Amino acid sequence: MTECKKLSPQSNEALLSSENGFTAFSYGGYNIRFRAPYSLERYVDVLKWDDGYLVVLAKYSHHAEPEEEYIDLKPILEGLYIDSASFLKPIKSVRIAYA
């Protein structure tokens, strides 16, 4: 399941978080939610941002140490009929943010 809600505009920094079995990627007034791996507890750090491709450290319930996880946003955006090239172009960085 994928969901997209428009929020107020932000800077060139996007936010990544997880809650209740979903990953949330927020940028440019959008909050895009998609299913997270079943055992994901939380994202710990963003190791790399490359035009829609994320390498992150994620903490899973079945492992004591964080593991590398890979997220490709382009197919998710295309599934929501969002032009990935124009949406991703202004994003310069991504950080982990939990309320």
Side-chain angles (χ1 to χ4, degrees):
M1 179 177 158
T2 305
E3 175 184 303
C4 179
K5 291 182 181 177
K6 188 147 173 124
L7 303 172
S8 61
Q10 298 177 8
S11 67
N12 289 348
E13 180 178 65
L15 304 177
L16 181 71
S17 64
S18 62
E19 183 177 23
N20 298 327
F22 288 89
T23 292
F25 184 85
S26 302
Y27 177 73
Y30 288 92
N31 185 31
I32 300 166
R33 291 174 19 118
F34 49 95
R35 282 254 180 236
Y38 76 93
S39 61
L40 177 69
E41 290 180 355
R42 66 182 292 123
Y43 293 108
V44 177
D45 194 14
V46 176
L47 301 177
K48 183 177 181 179
W49 165 253
D50 184 17
D51 190 34
Y53 188 75
L54 284 158
V55 179
V56 298
L57 283 180
K59 174 65 179 86
Y60 292 97
S61 61
H62 63 274
H63 199 272
E65 297 297 319
E67 300 177 36
E68 250 184 32
E69 176 73 38
Y70 309 95
I71 302 170
D72 188 355
L73 292 171
K74 289 181 181 181
I76 294 166
L77 293 170
E78 290 167 7
L80 293 168
Y81 302 101
I82 296 173
D83 177 35
S84 63
S86 62
F87 181 83
L88 297 169
K89 185 176 181 175
I91 300 173
K92 303 298 180 213
S93 64
V94 179
R95 72 176 165 93
I96 305 297
Y98 286 97

